Amino acid sequence: MDVLGKLVLVFFAGLITALATGIGALPFFLVEDVSDRWNVALWGLASGIMVSASVFGLIFEGLSSANGGSLTGVVVGLAVGVALVVVSHRIISGAEVNPKQYEEANFKKLVLILGILTVHSFPEGVAIGVSFADLGFEGAPEIAGFAVPLLAIFMTVAISIHNVPEGVAISIPLHAMGVSKWRMVWWSVFSSLPQPVGAVIAYYFVRTAREFLPMGFGFAAGAMIYLVASEFIPEALEVGEGLPGGGHRELLSGLTAGVLLMVPLAFI
């Protein structure tokens, strides 16, 4: 597969995760509301999958991808990944996007919104791109004739699952505004469009400068783990405030299911 073909495949994987955000709007085609219990469980499932994929996939891969210096690279990458998320959040502090603004935005405002969303979801795209670093190498499972790393498959699925409850969260205020169901799907997908772009950039970088591959794996893992701790779990607990036990039971059940689902990644 030529370079352009590989970039297209990586972009397509990122696009799949973006489209998965639109799935979060689909329940509103069937019901008027999505229960908080299911929302919390989905956030927990996504968190468990993301942390497991980061530890069993990205970090383990980073430690085995280079020479003896790979540990230092992974650790440095972890620190940089966390730092990026922290700095990004400070940059957009006070500029959080309310989905209600989507329908009311003019072109300038949409550009601003997309910029904020890029800062918010770019690390997830980076994780996808880095996981494709060994694309085309022998021994990888084949999909449609392409040798795709197993880690890339797991990471694409993990981020797609995470994006579903995010799509639900975006669709709830739009539904309350009376926005049409298909437009809710579009705006949900729109919120994750930076992911395929981030995936292509990260993939191209780690393939061009393979000596930085351990750092790239650590960077993606650090960003993902910190996002889970600082955003996903707090979001789940906020949604579950009105549930018995504050939603902790549903969150723990989802986390456990997510971890168990990804444990095989450590042994493959």
Side-chain angles (χ1 to χ4, degrees):
M1 193 193 310
D2 59 16
V3 174
L4 179 60
K6 292 177 180 178
L7 291 175
V8 169
L9 182 59
V10 173
F11 181 86
F12 183 70
L15 185 61
I16 289 174
T17 65
L19 293 174
T21 316
I23 295 174
L26 297 184
F28 293 97
F29 283 77
L30 305 173
V31 297
E32 286 299 310
D33 199 9
V34 177
S35 73
D36 289 343
R37 179 169 276 106
W38 275 107
N39 232 335
V40 174
L42 276 173
W43 277 111
L45 178 67
S47 298
I49 287 175
M50 299 295 281
V51 171
S52 300
S54 296
V55 175
F56 300 140
L58 293 170
I59 292 177
F60 282 16
E61 190 71 23
L63 291 174
S64 62
S65 64
N67 52 34
S70 61
L71 175 60
T72 301
V74 170
V75 172
V76 170
L78 281 165
V80 174
V82 171
L84 173 72
V85 177
V86 172
V87 171
S88 298
H89 284 183
R90 288 187 179 176
I91 290 175
I92 63 175
S93 178
E96 293 295 330
V97 175
N98 186 329
K100 292 179 181 179
Q101 295 175 329
Y102 294 175
E103 286 288 299
E104 303 162 356
N106 56 28
F107 179 75
K108 279 189 175 181
K109 200 170 195 179
L110 279 177
V111 170
L112 174 62
I113 289 172
L114 187 57
I116 295 170
L117 293 175
T118 298
V119 172
H120 175 77
S121 65
F122 192 78
E124 295 156 5
V126 169
I128 297 169
V130 171
S131 70
F132 272 87
D134 291 330
L135 176 63
F137 283 28
E138 291 183 7
E142 287 198 5
I143 297 179
F146 300 136
V148 179
L150 192 61
L151 175 60
I153 298 171
F154 272 100
M155 190 58 63
T156 302
V157 171
I159 294 177
S160 295
I161 292 175
H162 148 256
N163 281 352
V164 174
E166 201 159 88
V168 173
I170 289 167
S171 298
I172 288 173
L174 294 175
H175 179 67
M177 285 177 64
V179 175
S180 70
K181 295 178 176 63
W182 284 111
R183 288 180 73 83
M184 287 194 299
V185 172
W186 155 245
W187 288 121
S188 296
V189 173
F190 173 81
S191 72
S192 294
L193 285 182
Q195 289 175 11
V197 178
V200 169
I201 293 173
Y203 169 76
Y204 185 79
F205 177 78
V206 296
R207 282 304 295 259
T208 303
R210 288 193 68 84
E211 64 270 21
F212 291 106
L213 189 54
M215 186 180 297
F217 280 120
F219 172 86
M224 295 285 40
I225 293 171
Y226 188 79
L227 278 172
V228 168
S230 66
E231 284 194 25
F232 302 170
I233 291 179
E235 176 78 20
L237 293 176
E238 182 179 338
V239 172
E241 279 180 345
L243 298 174
H248 287 82
R249 182 176 58 186
E250 289 79 7
L251 176 61
L252 184 59
S253 298
L255 278 167
T256 303
V259 171
L260 291 177
L261 189 64
M262 299 300 283
V263 162
L265 184 59
F267 304 100
I268 297 176

